[in-house]
Structure formats: structure tokens, C-alpha cells
């Protein structure tokens, strides 16, 4: 299992599903910027402990810009947008919008890596935006939900981060690629250090625990596992497909921990978006079954040849 990207992707998705719920819980006390800084400060401290026991190589000079972009877009900008958006919608709605990352990833890959999209994939993108409109407008009396807009921008940042990580993991280990990116993102977030001292010193213990869960599990360990999955998988979209599971897990956690019952807009818009997501990535979903069938045919052919030789 540890040699298969499915193992690492599943670990990441479980930890990321927790992030939607614990972010909303932590925002009951901390503001957006303090929580963003504390989350990745605790993530960086966790990674310092990890790399103390596991030696890692220093980044090369020619990769500094890629690491800066990865840290800035994937952590500094992303976590602010994610935290602001999550605080304005339910955990389930936030997870559904962020689940559009695979589509954004494939779209950006087609632009930067010249990977062409098929006609049905463009059609699937149209379906997804219909789902977003349902989420945005159904209960808003034709008013755009600000939280969904923040989360759409956050999804775009995470998609960009995926492409940057794909590039970095070709030269660095998953631990190295994610660790240096998080360190750089945390350095950018240090602009919120002065305003974070007071609230942190007076924070209730349960909210400190929420921050530690977000930093250790939903950030440090999750992104290491995510980078590992990306480095193993043949295509980035194979890994990002796992984000489809996030809304389901988040909805369950949101209901159990916060009593959030999904409304009609979330259920209808979510089903439309997930239908579009499945259509967009149907080939990568079916790929494992095709490979299994092909392997069976090859084995049968090989057996027939051996019988003929005998």
C-alpha cells in the first residue's frame, strides 16, 4: 500500500476533510489572519521535528523561484482565502467548492503543459458552473455568496500549487517539496505575527487544540502525503480525483461535530458539481478497471502460449 498513490491520497483527504470543520470551530475565537498564521506556524514546527530525525537536502538555486511561488500561492494566499471562505459558508458547501480543484488542475495543465481537453470535459466544466450558480443563487435571492467566491479563488490557488508540486517532486522527495513550500508560506504569514500574540495568549485551550489539529494533521502531514501521492502517480489528476470524497466526509463531520444539516442548495448544487466532476474525470476513474482487464487478458494470452509450447 505504501508504494501506491491511493494510500497517501486517502490519508490526505481524511485530514483535509477535518480542516473544513476545525477551521469553522477555530474561527469561533480567532480571526482569519491569526488562525492562518497559527495553523502554519504549528505545521512548520511539526516539520522541524520531522526533519530533525529525517535528513533532507537543500533546494537548488534554480528552484528557488518555484519554491517561492509554491509557498506563496499554495499556503500564504490559499490559507487566507480558504479560511475567509470557510467562515462564511457551511463546512459541506466549502468542501464542495474546493472539490473543483481537479477541474482547475486539468484546465491549467492544458494551458501550461499543453494537455488538450476533450469536448465532454468542456461540457463537464459547464455543468460544474451550473452547480456553483445553484450554490450561490438558490438561497441568496440573486446575490453572490462572498464565501463561495473566496473558496473558488482558493481552489484555483490549490490547483496551481498542484502543478508546482508536480514539477518539484520530479527533483525532490515529497518531504522536501512540501516542507520548503510550507516554510516559505509560513514566512509570508509572519506579517500577522504581531496581531496574533494577544489572542493566542488568551485563547481557550479547546481552540488551541483546534489549531494544532489543523497545523499538524491537516497541514504538515496532509501535504507530505499529498506530495508523495503526486510523485508516485502517473498523472496529477489521478491524485486530485480523491478530492471528490472530501464533501462526503466533511458533511458527516460537520453534522456530527457542529450539527450542520445540509440545506437544499448544498444538496442540489453539490450533486450537480459532483456529477460534472465525475464526467470530467471519467477516464481516470475507469483507468484502474481497464488496466485490470488488460492484465487479465495478457495473463490469459501468456497462459495459452505456454500451453501451446507444452
Amino acid at each position: 500500500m505504501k508504494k501506491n498513490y491511493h494510500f497517501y491520497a486517502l490519508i490526505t483527504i481524511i485530514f483535509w476533510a477535518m480542516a473544513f470543520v476545525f477551521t469553522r470551530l477555530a474561527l469561533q475565537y480567532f480571526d482569519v489572519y491569526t488562525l492562518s498564521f497559527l495553523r502554519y506556524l504549528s505545521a512548520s514546527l511539526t516539520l522541524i521535528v520531522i526533519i530533525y530525525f529525517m535528513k533532507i537536502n537543500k533546494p537548488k538555486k534554480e528552484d528557488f523561484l518555484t519554491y517561492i511561488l509554491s509557498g506563496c500561492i499554495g499556503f500564504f494566499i490559499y490559507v487566507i482565502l480558504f479560511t475567509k471562505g470557510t467562515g462564511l459558508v457551511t463546512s459541506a458547501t466549502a468542501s464542495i467548492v474546493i472539490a473543483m480543484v481537479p477541474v482547475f488542475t486539468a484546465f491549467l495543465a492544458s494551458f501550461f503543459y499543453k494537455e488538450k481537453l476533450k469536448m465532454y470535459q468542456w461540457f463537464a466544466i459547464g455543468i460544474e458552473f451550473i452547480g456553483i450558480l445553484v450554490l450561490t443563487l438558490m438561497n441568496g435571492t440573486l446575490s453572490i455568496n462572498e464565501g463561495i467566491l473566496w473558496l473558488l479563488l482558493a481552489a484555483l490557488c490549490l490547483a496551481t500549487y498542484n502543478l508546482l508540486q508536480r514539477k518539484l517532486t520530479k527533483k525532490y522527495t515529497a518531504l522536501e517539496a512540501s516542507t520548503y513550500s510550507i516554510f516559505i508560506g509560513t514566512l509570508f504569514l509572519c506579517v500577522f505575527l504581531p496581531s496574533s500574540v494577544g489572542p493566542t495568549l488568551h485563547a481557550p485551550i479547546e481552540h488551541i487544540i483546534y489549531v494544532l489539529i489543523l497545523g499538524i494533521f491537516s497541514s504538515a502531514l496532509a501535504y507530505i502525503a499529498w506530495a508523495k501521492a503526486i510523485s508516485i502517480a502517473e498523472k496529477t489528476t489521478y491524485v486530485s480525483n480523491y478530492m471528490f470524497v472530501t464533501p462526503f466526509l466533511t458533511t458527516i463531520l460537520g453534522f456530527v461535530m457542529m450539527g450542520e444539516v445540509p440545506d437544499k442548495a448544498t444538496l442540489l448544487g453539490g450533486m450537480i458539481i459532483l456529477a460534472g466532476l465525475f464526467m470530467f474525470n471519467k477516464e481516470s476513474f475507469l483507468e484502474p478497471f481497464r488496466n485490470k482487464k488488460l492484465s487479465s487478458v495478457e495473463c490469459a494470452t501468456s497462459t495459452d502460449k505456454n500451453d501451446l509450447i507444452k
Side-chain angles (χ1 to χ4, degrees), residues 73-122:
I73 296 174
F75 297 101
F76 175 60
I77 299 176
Y78 169 77
V79 72
I80 294 174
L81 295 173
F82 172 83
T83 307
K84 286 175 71 70
T86 302
L88 296 173
V89 299
T90 65
S91 301
T93 301
S95 64
I96 289 170
V97 177
I98 294 296
M100 289 192 66
V101 169
V103 174
F104 288 157
T105 301
F107 184 81
L108 291 175
S110 69
F111 182 79
F112 290 104
Y113 295 159
K114 307 303 179 182
E115 297 178 3
K116 294 182 179 181
L117 296 179
K118 298 181 179 179
M119 184 60 67
Y120 74 85
Q121 291 177 314
W122 288 109

Side-chain angles (χ1 to χ4, degrees), residues 194-234:
S195 61
S196 301
V197 175
T200 304
L201 293 177
H202 299 92
I205 185 63
E206 63 267 26
H207 288 86
I208 295 296
I209 293 174
Y210 299 152
V211 171
L212 292 176
I213 292 174
L214 287 169
I216 298 172
F217 296 100
S218 298
S219 299
L221 299 182
Y223 278 98
I224 290 174
W226 191 247
K228 182 66 175 180
I230 289 176
S231 67
I232 295 175
E234 181 182 349

